[in-house]
Amino acid sequence: MHLDSIVNLLTSPLELDSGAELQQIQGGVINQTFKLTDKARSFAVKWIADDAFSGINRFHQFVLQEQLAHRNIAPMPVWLSDDGRLWVESWCEPKPLSANATEQITALANGLSTIHSQPITARPLELFERLKHYLKVAQIPSDDPLAQRTNELSKRLHPGSDDSALTLCHNDLALAHILDSAAPVIVDWEYAAMGNRYFDIASAIVINNLSEDQSDSLCSLYAEAAKLDHDHVVHNVNQQVEMVKLTNTLWQRALEHTSEAQLAPPIVY
């Protein structure tokens, strides 16, 4: 990782001082996160994989996060490169999340219910189009069991007339993405969209590797916060867990067919 290259890319748009420093915070396969310090200013900087892989319009996500920041649920985005691969937002110092499992589940339920109650309309997730995109990138033929499974689930779990299921969703709510559980303040909105609230809850269950008891507790706390019937929430979340696991599998297969050039930041002198 060439940290100087990222600083060089940001020097002009952010008017950085010659002593600006970049520290890597998290090094994922797709997103790499850094803390940029420039005198009294601090920013979170993210390098994101090529959109040919992700299928996400970063400009739309930038505008969405601006709205969320004005509602104090997300950091304010500051700058986005023309190709959408370099993202800068204001730095929010994380408050340590409790190590107590019960309090962590409460934080997830609070975060999800807060997100889903936001009076913000974003672009739709269009999940099945996203899955088709992953199938194409991964070069999976139509007669492959994964492709057939995608078609089967798309018919069985196609959105129906339950308008109450449609909300703003995060779609990647790991506990590490909750910087402040009390407010809450949440980061990593790359996959946020209008979608099925139960898919969002199921995503949180799978991402955080919750046990069956923890999943039940999350559904109970969420149902209470969102004023929804408990059994209705549990039934719909259990259905969507299957879809979340399929989505993750196809995402991984697509990643395996993505070149390193699409994932790595360039060297800029």
Side-chain angles (χ1 to χ4, degrees):
M1 174 58 59
H2 300 273
L3 301 186
D4 289 343
S5 294
I6 295 178
V7 173
N8 291 339
L9 283 168
L10 296 176
T11 294
S12 177
L14 298 184
E15 299 180 346
L16 298 179
D17 183 77
S18 59
E21 296 183 355
L22 192 71
Q23 174 189 4
Q24 185 159 6
I25 302 299
Q26 184 178 6
V29 177
I30 300 302
N31 295 346
Q32 299 175 51
T33 306
F34 310 85
K35 181 179 182 180
L36 175 63
T37 304
D38 180 43
K39 292 185 176 178
R41 301 187 300 166
S42 294
F43 305 95
V45 178
K46 288 187 250 185
W47 183 265
I48 309 167
D50 191 341
D51 279 344
F53 165 72
S54 68
I56 294 173
N57 187 307
R58 302 297 171 190
F59 176 75
H60 293 155
Q61 300 308 103
F62 191 91
V63 173
L64 171 60
Q65 188 164 322
E66 283 183 322
Q67 297 178 67
L68 292 164
H70 283 301
R71 299 190 62 80
N72 300 316
I73 192 175
M76 178 63 74
V78 175
W79 183 81
L80 181 68
S81 61
D82 290 340
D83 62 5
R85 298 184 67 180
L86 192 58
W87 173 297
V88 182
E89 62 187 41
S90 60
W91 176 263
C92 291
E93 193 65 32
K95 295 183 179 179
L97 193 63
S98 171
N100 181 279
T102 300
E103 293 183 19
Q104 290 181 350
I105 301 302
T106 300
L108 279 176
N110 180 43
L112 287 163
S113 62
T114 301
I115 293 167
H116 298 168
S117 66
Q118 295 302 306
I120 293 174
T121 299
R123 290 188 169 235
L125 175 59
E126 296 181 346
L127 178 60
F128 298 111
E129 291 301 316
R130 181 73 55 80
L131 297 185
K132 289 178 184 177
H133 173 74
Y134 292 154
L135 287 168
K136 181 179 180 180
V137 173
Q139 302 176 24
I140 298 174
S142 59
D143 59 351
D144 186 280
L146 271 178
Q148 295 175 350
R149 184 63 172 156
T150 301
N151 290 332
E152 188 270 325
L153 283 181
S154 68
K155 294 176 182 177
R156 180 155 60 87
L157 298 180
H158 191 277
S161 58
D162 183 6
D163 291 337
S164 67
L166 182 65
T167 64
L168 176 68
C169 295
H170 186 281
N171 295 315
D172 189 29
L173 193 59
L175 283 164
H177 295 162
I178 303 175
L179 297 188
D180 184 344
S181 59
V185 176
I186 296 167
V187 294
D188 287 1
W189 294 87
E190 283 87 352
Y191 295 99
M194 297 301 293
N196 187 317
R197 69 169 79 217
Y198 305 113
F199 179 87
D200 202 13
I201 299 169
S203 294
I205 288 171
V206 174
I207 290 167
N208 294 289
N209 196 28
L210 301 188
S211 67
E212 185 175 344
D213 287 345
Q214 289 172 329
S215 300
D216 289 342
S217 178
L218 175 62
C219 289
S220 296
L221 290 169
Y222 178 87
E224 181 179 358
K227 296 180 172 56
L228 294 171
D229 178 74
H230 171 268
D231 291 342
H232 179 76
V233 171
V234 171
H235 171 74
N236 283 278
V237 169
N238 287 340
Q239 279 192 324
Q240 293 296 329
V241 165
E242 192 174 7
M243 178 59 74
V244 170
K245 290 180 178 179
L246 173 65
T247 302
N248 291 350
T249 297
L250 292 178
W251 181 91
Q252 184 63 44
R253 290 286 294 273
L255 174 63
E256 293 168 1
H257 282 76
T258 301
S259 69
E260 291 185 8
Q262 290 175 277
L263 303 178
I267 300 175
V268 178
Y269 297 102

mmCIF file of all heavy atoms in Angstrom, residues 237-261:
data_model
loop_
_atom_site.group_PDB
_atom_site.id
_atom_site.type_symbol
_atom_site.label_atom_id
_atom_site.label_comp_id
_atom_site.label_asym_id
_atom_site.label_seq_id
_atom_site.Cartn_x
_atom_site.Cartn_y
_atom_site.Cartn_z
ATOM 1 N N VAL A 237 -37.669 -12.303 8.718
ATOM 2 C CA VAL A 237 -36.207 -12.301 8.848
ATOM 3 C C VAL A 237 -35.653 -13.679 8.527
ATOM 4 O O VAL A 237 -34.646 -13.813 7.804
ATOM 5 C CB VAL A 237 -35.777 -11.852 10.252
ATOM 6 C CG1 VAL A 237 -34.287 -12.119 10.471
ATOM 7 C CG2 VAL A 237 -36.074 -10.375 10.456
ATOM 8 N N ASN A 238 -36.288 -14.730 9.024
ATOM 9 C CA ASN A 238 -35.825 -16.092 8.748
ATOM 10 C C ASN A 238 -35.829 -16.395 7.256
ATOM 11 O O ASN A 238 -34.933 -17.074 6.742
ATOM 12 C CB ASN A 238 -36.691 -17.108 9.499
ATOM 13 C CG ASN A 238 -36.411 -17.120 10.989
ATOM 14 O OD1 ASN A 238 -35.362 -16.667 11.439
ATOM 15 N ND2 ASN A 238 -37.354 -17.633 11.772
ATOM 16 N N GLN A 239 -36.815 -15.883 6.545
ATOM 17 C CA GLN A 239 -36.847 -16.056 5.091
ATOM 18 C C GLN A 239 -35.670 -15.355 4.423
ATOM 19 O O GLN A 239 -35.041 -15.897 3.512
ATOM 20 C CB GLN A 239 -38.151 -15.490 4.522
ATOM 21 C CG GLN A 239 -39.356 -16.405 4.642
ATOM 22 C CD GLN A 239 -40.519 -15.892 3.804
ATOM 23 O OE1 GLN A 239 -40.723 -14.679 3.681
ATOM 24 N NE2 GLN A 239 -41.278 -16.791 3.228
ATOM 25 N N GLN A 240 -35.371 -14.156 4.889
ATOM 26 C CA GLN A 240 -34.342 -13.350 4.244
ATOM 27 C C GLN A 240 -32.920 -13.802 4.566
ATOM 28 O O GLN A 240 -31.986 -13.493 3.813
ATOM 29 C CB GLN A 240 -34.521 -11.880 4.635
ATOM 30 C CG GLN A 240 -35.787 -11.235 4.088
ATOM 31 C CD GLN A 240 -35.801 -11.176 2.560
ATOM 32 O OE1 GLN A 240 -34.749 -11.063 1.925
ATOM 33 N NE2 GLN A 240 -36.991 -11.251 1.979
ATOM 34 N N VAL A 241 -32.735 -14.547 5.650
ATOM 35 C CA VAL A 241 -31.399 -15.067 5.967
ATOM 36 C C VAL A 241 -30.876 -15.907 4.809
ATOM 37 O O VAL A 241 -29.697 -15.843 4.440
ATOM 38 C CB VAL A 241 -31.420 -15.880 7.279
ATOM 39 C CG1 VAL A 241 -30.160 -16.724 7.412
ATOM 40 C CG2 VAL A 241 -31.537 -14.946 8.482
ATOM 41 N N GLU A 242 -31.752 -16.695 4.216
ATOM 42 C CA GLU A 242 -31.394 -17.527 3.070
ATOM 43 C C GLU A 242 -30.904 -16.660 1.908
ATOM 44 O O GLU A 242 -29.912 -16.968 1.245
ATOM 45 C CB GLU A 242 -32.624 -18.346 2.654
ATOM 46 C CG GLU A 242 -32.345 -19.462 1.677
ATOM 47 C CD GLU A 242 -33.582 -20.312 1.416
ATOM 48 O OE1 GLU A 242 -34.677 -19.949 1.892
ATOM 49 O OE2 GLU A 242 -33.441 -21.329 0.719
ATOM 50 N N MET A 243 -31.598 -15.546 1.675
ATOM 51 C CA MET A 243 -31.222 -14.644 0.591
ATOM 52 C C MET A 243 -29.897 -13.956 0.884
ATOM 53 O O MET A 243 -29.062 -13.762 -0.014
ATOM 54 C CB MET A 243 -32.326 -13.612 0.367
ATOM 55 C CG MET A 243 -32.003 -12.597 -0.724
ATOM 56 S SD MET A 243 -31.687 -13.357 -2.337
ATOM 57 C CE MET A 243 -33.364 -13.813 -2.780
ATOM 58 N N VAL A 244 -29.667 -13.572 2.122
ATOM 59 C CA VAL A 244 -28.411 -12.926 2.501
ATOM 60 C C VAL A 244 -27.230 -13.866 2.260
ATOM 61 O O VAL A 244 -26.193 -13.456 1.708
ATOM 62 C CB VAL A 244 -28.443 -12.488 3.978
ATOM 63 C CG1 VAL A 244 -27.051 -12.044 4.441
ATOM 64 C CG2 VAL A 244 -29.437 -11.356 4.180
ATOM 65 N N LYS A 245 -27.374 -15.121 2.636
ATOM 66 C CA LYS A 245 -26.286 -16.084 2.449
ATOM 67 C C LYS A 245 -25.990 -16.303 0.969
ATOM 68 O O LYS A 245 -24.827 -16.414 0.558
ATOM 69 C CB LYS A 245 -26.637 -17.397 3.143
ATOM 70 C CG LYS A 245 -26.631 -17.295 4.667
ATOM 71 C CD LYS A 245 -26.975 -18.621 5.330
ATOM 72 C CE LYS A 245 -26.901 -18.499 6.849
ATOM 73 N NZ LYS A 245 -27.252 -19.775 7.537
ATOM 74 N N LEU A 246 -27.033 -16.344 0.143
ATOM 75 C CA LEU A 246 -26.832 -16.486 -1.297
ATOM 76 C C LEU A 246 -26.117 -15.249 -1.845
ATOM 77 O O LEU A 246 -25.186 -15.369 -2.658
ATOM 78 C CB LEU A 246 -28.172 -16.676 -2.008
ATOM 79 C CG LEU A 246 -28.117 -16.662 -3.547
ATOM 80 C CD1 LEU A 246 -27.314 -17.852 -4.057
ATOM 81 C CD2 LEU A 246 -29.528 -16.673 -4.136
ATOM 82 N N THR A 247 -26.551 -14.067 -1.416
ATOM 83 C CA THR A 247 -25.919 -12.828 -1.863
ATOM 84 C C THR A 247 -24.435 -12.813 -1.524
ATOM 85 O O THR A 247 -23.591 -12.450 -2.358
ATOM 86 C CB THR A 247 -26.610 -11.612 -1.213
ATOM 87 O OG1 THR A 247 -27.998 -11.612 -1.557
ATOM 88 C CG2 THR A 247 -25.971 -10.307 -1.670
ATOM 89 N N ASN A 248 -24.094 -13.226 -0.309
ATOM 90 C CA ASN A 248 -22.698 -13.252 0.113
ATOM 91 C C ASN A 248 -21.873 -14.232 -0.714
ATOM 92 O O ASN A 248 -20.715 -13.969 -1.061
ATOM 93 C CB ASN A 248 -22.600 -13.602 1.602
ATOM 94 C CG ASN A 248 -23.127 -12.502 2.492
ATOM 95 O OD1 ASN A 248 -23.412 -11.397 2.034
ATOM 96 N ND2 ASN A 248 -23.286 -12.793 3.776
ATOM 97 N N THR A 249 -22.478 -15.374 -1.036
ATOM 98 C CA THR A 249 -21.784 -16.381 -1.846
ATOM 99 C C THR A 249 -21.487 -15.850 -3.244
ATOM 100 O O THR A 249 -20.366 -15.990 -3.759
ATOM 101 C CB THR A 249 -22.619 -17.666 -1.956
ATOM 102 O OG1 THR A 249 -22.793 -18.234 -0.653
ATOM 103 C CG2 THR A 249 -21.939 -18.686 -2.858
ATOM 104 N N LEU A 250 -22.485 -15.217 -3.865
ATOM 105 C CA LEU A 250 -22.294 -14.680 -5.208
ATOM 106 C C LEU A 250 -21.297 -13.517 -5.197
ATOM 107 O O LEU A 250 -20.499 -13.362 -6.135
ATOM 108 C CB LEU A 250 -23.637 -14.227 -5.786
ATOM 109 C CG LEU A 250 -24.643 -15.346 -6.083
ATOM 110 C CD1 LEU A 250 -25.950 -14.759 -6.611
ATOM 111 C CD2 LEU A 250 -24.072 -16.336 -7.097
ATOM 112 N N TRP A 251 -21.342 -12.694 -4.161
ATOM 113 C CA TRP A 251 -20.380 -11.596 -4.014
ATOM 114 C C TRP A 251 -18.959 -12.134 -3.976
ATOM 115 O O TRP A 251 -18.058 -11.613 -4.641
ATOM 116 C CB TRP A 251 -20.708 -10.823 -2.742
ATOM 117 C CG TRP A 251 -19.822 -9.640 -2.463
ATOM 118 C CD1 TRP A 251 -20.025 -8.352 -2.851
ATOM 119 C CD2 TRP A 251 -18.605 -9.641 -1.695
ATOM 120 N NE1 TRP A 251 -18.995 -7.550 -2.381
ATOM 121 C CE2 TRP A 251 -18.122 -8.314 -1.683
ATOM 122 C CE3 TRP A 251 -17.878 -10.633 -1.041
ATOM 123 C CZ2 TRP A 251 -16.940 -7.958 -1.027
ATOM 124 C CZ3 TRP A 251 -16.702 -10.281 -0.392
ATOM 125 C CH2 TRP A 251 -16.254 -8.960 -0.385
ATOM 126 N N GLN A 252 -18.758 -13.205 -3.199
ATOM 127 C CA GLN A 252 -17.426 -13.800 -3.076
ATOM 128 C C GLN A 252 -16.963 -14.384 -4.409
ATOM 129 O O GLN A 252 -15.802 -14.238 -4.797
ATOM 130 C CB GLN A 252 -17.434 -14.888 -1.997
ATOM 131 C CG GLN A 252 -16.076 -15.515 -1.723
ATOM 132 C CD GLN A 252 -15.073 -14.518 -1.177
ATOM 133 O OE1 GLN A 252 -15.390 -13.718 -0.310
ATOM 134 N NE2 GLN A 252 -13.848 -14.554 -1.698
ATOM 135 N N ARG A 253 -17.873 -15.043 -5.129
ATOM 136 C CA ARG A 253 -17.528 -15.613 -6.428
ATOM 137 C C ARG A 253 -17.162 -14.509 -7.425
ATOM 138 O O ARG A 253 -16.231 -14.653 -8.221
ATOM 139 C CB ARG A 253 -18.701 -16.447 -6.957
ATOM 140 C CG ARG A 253 -18.947 -17.748 -6.189
ATOM 141 C CD ARG A 253 -17.896 -18.808 -6.514
ATOM 142 N NE ARG A 253 -18.001 -19.225 -7.910
ATOM 143 C CZ ARG A 253 -18.804 -20.202 -8.343
ATOM 144 N NH1 ARG A 253 -19.581 -20.857 -7.478
ATOM 145 N NH2 ARG A 253 -18.820 -20.534 -9.616
ATOM 146 N N ALA A 254 -17.887 -13.392 -7.376
ATOM 147 C CA ALA A 254 -17.578 -12.270 -8.259
ATOM 148 C C ALA A 254 -16.212 -11.682 -7.913
ATOM 149 O O ALA A 254 -15.432 -11.319 -8.805
ATOM 150 C CB ALA A 254 -18.663 -11.208 -8.151
ATOM 151 N N LEU A 255 -15.923 -11.598 -6.623
ATOM 152 C CA LEU A 255 -14.632 -11.080 -6.175
ATOM 153 C C LEU A 255 -13.484 -11.917 -6.728
ATOM 154 O O LEU A 255 -12.444 -11.390 -7.139
ATOM 155 C CB LEU A 255 -14.583 -11.056 -4.650
ATOM 156 C CG LEU A 255 -13.247 -10.667 -4.008
ATOM 157 C CD1 LEU A 255 -12.863 -9.239 -4.390
ATOM 158 C CD2 LEU A 255 -13.330 -10.808 -2.485
ATOM 159 N N GLU A 256 -13.674 -13.224 -6.749
ATOM 160 C CA GLU A 256 -12.634 -14.132 -7.231
ATOM 161 C C GLU A 256 -12.326 -13.927 -8.717
ATOM 162 O O GLU A 256 -11.247 -14.328 -9.186
ATOM 163 C CB GLU A 256 -13.054 -15.580 -6.972
ATOM 164 C CG GLU A 256 -13.112 -15.939 -5.490
ATOM 165 C CD GLU A 256 -13.812 -17.273 -5.223
ATOM 166 O OE1 GLU A 256 -14.240 -17.923 -6.207
ATOM 167 O OE2 GLU A 256 -13.932 -17.649 -4.047
ATOM 168 N N HIS A 257 -13.252 -13.307 -9.441
ATOM 169 C CA HIS A 257 -13.049 -13.058 -10.873
ATOM 170 C C HIS A 257 -12.695 -11.596 -11.149
ATOM 171 O O HIS A 257 -12.806 -11.124 -12.284
ATOM 172 C CB HIS A 257 -14.306 -13.442 -11.663
ATOM 173 C CG HIS A 257 -14.453 -14.919 -11.870
ATOM 174 N ND1 HIS A 257 -14.859 -15.770 -10.871
ATOM 175 C CD2 HIS A 257 -14.223 -15.692 -12.967
ATOM 176 C CE1 HIS A 257 -14.902 -17.013 -11.336
ATOM 177 N NE2 HIS A 257 -14.513 -16.988 -12.593
ATOM 178 N N THR A 258 -12.289 -10.890 -10.110
ATOM 179 C CA THR A 258 -11.937 -9.483 -10.250
ATOM 180 C C THR A 258 -10.428 -9.329 -10.186
ATOM 181 O O THR A 258 -9.775 -9.891 -9.302
ATOM 182 C CB THR A 258 -12.600 -8.652 -9.134
ATOM 183 O OG1 THR A 258 -14.023 -8.819 -9.212
ATOM 184 C CG2 THR A 258 -12.263 -7.177 -9.284
ATOM 185 N N SER A 259 -9.859 -8.600 -11.112
ATOM 186 C CA SER A 259 -8.406 -8.448 -11.185
ATOM 187 C C SER A 259 -7.886 -7.563 -10.069
ATOM 188 O O SER A 259 -8.605 -6.719 -9.529
ATOM 189 C CB SER A 259 -8.004 -7.848 -12.534
ATOM 190 O OG SER A 259 -8.433 -6.500 -12.621
ATOM 191 N N GLU A 260 -6.614 -7.752 -9.734
ATOM 192 C CA GLU A 260 -5.998 -6.937 -8.699
ATOM 193 C C GLU A 260 -5.970 -5.461 -9.095
ATOM 194 O O GLU A 260 -6.034 -4.577 -8.244
ATOM 195 C CB GLU A 260 -4.572 -7.426 -8.426
ATOM 196 C CG GLU A 260 -4.518 -8.799 -7.747
ATOM 197 C CD GLU A 260 -3.103 -9.190 -7.375
ATOM 198 O OE1 GLU A 260 -2.196 -8.327 -7.507
ATOM 199 O OE2 GLU A 260 -2.891 -10.338 -6.958
ATOM 200 N N ALA A 261 -5.903 -5.199 -10.400
ATOM 201 C CA ALA A 261 -5.862 -3.816 -10.874
ATOM 202 C C ALA A 261 -7.140 -3.062 -10.518
ATOM 203 O O ALA A 261 -7.139 -1.843 -10.350
ATOM 204 C CB ALA A 261 -5.644 -3.784 -12.372
#
